[in-house]
Amino acid sequence: ALAIAGALKMNSSILYLDIGNNEIGSDGGVSFAEALKVNDSLQKLSLQGCHIGVEGGKAMGKALRLNKTLVKIVLGDTNLGDDGLSAVCEGLKANHALREIDFSGSKFGNQGAKTIANALTENQNILKIDLRSNEIGDQGAKMISRALTSNQAIQHLILKDNFIREEGARSLGEALRINLTLRTLHLGGNLIEDEGVIALSQALKVNRSLQKLCLQGCGIGQNGAVAFSDGLKKNQGLTKLNMGENFLMSEGAAAIARALKMNRRLQNLQLTKAHMGSYGATAIFESLKSNRGLTKLNLQHNNIGSDVASMIAAAIKANRQLQQLDMGCNNLAEGVVAVIRSLSENQSLQEINLESNRISEESVVNLSEALKSDKNVEKIDLSHNPVGDAGIMALIQVLKANQTLKYLRLSGIKVDEESTRAIRLLDDHRLLRF
């Protein structure tokens, strides 16, 4: 580490240096800080997991006051401690070049959040800050929220896994009513539950700048989803929403579906493990008949059965925007045939994931006939289905006839020697088996 830092002092061409997860310690941290004082080329530096400690943090803070080229620095899991973090943040106040900083996994609490919030009130150059996997809690979230009301630069804020609950979510919601620059907010893994998401929903009714919101695994139930859908109906900013790994249930999913009929802005919707079942999925696909915004939809792990297949097919025929559909790890079974056949009347869908859907050998043979003449789909995943040898042979014929298909994934498929030989003879790079 000392040798690399020494070389960095004299090097004037290197732009990016990643020495993450090396135990360089405080001496190494100090050495790199000294190099940053004189180096005039480095733009990105990662010290992730290097444990530079308090002394390394203090030295880095002094370096940031002088350095004029670094635009991104990663200081996650570096054991800065409160004093080291404070020194770095003091450096941020004087630094005008840095655009992105990563403090993930630093184990600081609300005192650390206060230190960072104070720096953000003075630094109007940072565009992205990653604070995931810390312990800022509700009090820390309040402090960060206050900073957002005065900071008009930051665009991306990552607060994943920070023990934030309803109170912290309410503070963030209040900040979103005022802040006009934040584009991404990641709150995944924080148990804000229904009351917290309701507060955010109210903010979405007036906020038009936030484009990406992650609420994955936030303990949101059906009542929270219903309330959130009201904000989604009126929101004109969000383009990506992740509400996966929550307990939306069928009624919550149906409420989101109703919002989709009115929302024209949302492009990417992630609802994995939302416990929606066939009823909720039917409502989602019904909404796609009229929705004109969504291009990506992920409904993995929702116990969606073959009884929804006809609705999926109808939605695919009517929809002209959807490009990627992920139905992995459901139970579409023989219903997949109707879904694939519907592709002949759709010109937008390019990727479809059907892994782990209990698709039988007979169903694969039947859907293969439709795939031979398809001119739009480029990627299909049929992994972990009991497709059988006849299914494999049918898919080989698809690859011979269909030149649009660029990616066919068949991971976890058991085949006999004849099928294995046929695959080898085909020697087609589009067929992926792992």
Side-chain angles (χ1 to χ4, degrees), residues 229-247:
S229 70
D230 189 42
L232 191 59
K233 290 177 183 177
K234 300 175 182 179
N235 180 269
Q236 297 299 314
L238 280 183
T239 59
K240 182 177 181 180
L241 173 64
N242 187 341
M243 293 187 74
E245 297 183 31
N246 287 295
F247 295 90

Side-chain angles (χ1 to χ4, degrees), residues 194-232:
D194 287 354
E195 292 303 316
V197 81
I198 289 171
L200 292 174
S201 173
Q202 295 301 315
L204 288 181
K205 292 179 181 180
V206 296
N207 180 288
R208 296 197 172 203
S209 62
L210 193 67
Q211 297 175 359
K212 299 178 182 180
L213 176 61
C214 181
L215 298 173
Q216 183 178 11
C218 286
I220 302 168
Q222 132 176 328
N223 292 335
V226 171
F228 184 84
S229 70
D230 189 42
L232 191 59

Side-chain angles (χ1 to χ4, degrees), residues 17-300:
L17 179 60
D18 184 350
I19 58 169
N21 298 310
N22 284 290
E23 291 285 350
I24 67 173
S26 59
D27 288 344
V30 171
S31 296
F32 275 102
E34 291 299 315
L36 288 180
K37 290 180 180 179
V38 296
N39 180 280
D40 59 0
S41 66
L42 193 66
Q43 296 179 10
K44 298 179 182 180
L45 173 63
S46 176
L47 297 174
Q48 176 77 32
C50 286
H51 301 156
I52 64 174
V54 174
E55 294 305 314
K58 289 180 178 179
M60 200 60 65
K62 294 177 181 178
L64 290 177
R65 292 172 179 268
L66 301 175
N67 184 277
K68 292 180 172 56
T69 60
L70 207 62
V71 295
K72 177 180 179 179
I73 187 167
V74 179
L75 293 173
D77 187 23
T78 48
N79 293 348
L80 294 178
D82 287 340
D83 289 343
L85 178 64
S86 179
V88 170
C89 287
E90 284 299 313
L92 290 181
K93 293 178 182 179
N95 184 289
H96 300 291
L98 209 60
R99 296 293 180 268
E100 182 176 344
I101 190 161
D102 185 336
F103 287 124
S104 61
S106 296
K107 300 179 182 178
F108 60 75
N110 57 32
Q111 181 58 45
K114 181 179 180 180
T115 300
I116 292 171
N118 288 338
L120 291 179
T121 58
E122 295 190 36
N123 183 300
Q124 296 291 321
N125 299 293
I126 297 290
L127 302 179
K128 179 178 180 179
I129 184 164
D130 191 337
L131 304 179
R132 79 183 69 200
S133 302
N134 284 294
E135 301 170 3
I136 71 171
D138 285 338
Q139 294 305 310
K142 286 182 179 180
M143 296 167 191
I144 297 295
S145 298
R146 280 196 289 269
L148 288 177
T149 61
S150 61
N151 184 294
Q152 295 302 314
I154 190 166
Q155 297 180 9
H156 309 283
L157 175 61
I158 316 299
L159 293 174
K160 181 177 184 287
D161 296 327
N162 258 291
F163 299 95
I164 299 170
R165 304 297 292 266
E166 170 194 338
E167 193 176 347
R170 186 178 292 112
S171 295
L172 288 165
E174 292 170 358
L176 288 176
R177 292 173 175 269
I178 300 171
N179 184 281
L180 300 175
T181 58
L182 197 65
R183 301 287 182 267
T184 302
L185 177 60
H186 196 323
L187 284 173
N190 292 291
L191 291 179
I192 65 172
E193 299 182 311
D194 287 354
E195 292 303 316
V197 81
I198 289 171
L200 292 174
S201 173
Q202 295 301 315
L204 288 181
K205 292 179 181 180
V206 296
N207 180 288
R208 296 197 172 203
S209 62
L210 193 67
Q211 297 175 359
K212 299 178 182 180
L213 176 61
C214 181
L215 298 173
Q216 183 178 11
C218 286
I220 302 168
Q222 132 176 328
N223 292 335
V226 171
F228 184 84
S229 70
D230 189 42
L232 191 59
K233 290 177 183 177
K234 300 175 182 179
N235 180 269
Q236 297 299 314
L238 280 183
T239 59
K240 182 177 181 180
L241 173 64
N242 187 341
M243 293 187 74
E245 297 183 31
N246 287 295
F247 295 90
L248 306 190
M249 313 304 287
S250 57
E251 290 299 330
I256 297 296
R258 290 191 291 272
L260 289 178
K261 292 182 179 180
M262 301 176 64
N263 185 295
R264 295 291 186 270
R265 179 71 172 166
L266 195 67
Q267 298 174 14
N268 187 330
L269 179 60
Q270 307 283 318
L271 293 176
T272 62
K273 296 183 180 179
H275 303 272
M276 68 176 67
S278 291
Y279 177 84
T282 298
I284 293 289
F285 283 106
E286 174 65 32
S287 73
L288 288 186
K289 292 181 180 180
S290 58
N291 179 277
R292 293 294 179 267
L294 216 59
T295 59
K296 298 180 181 180
L297 176 62
N298 188 336
L299 298 182
Q300 273 199 29

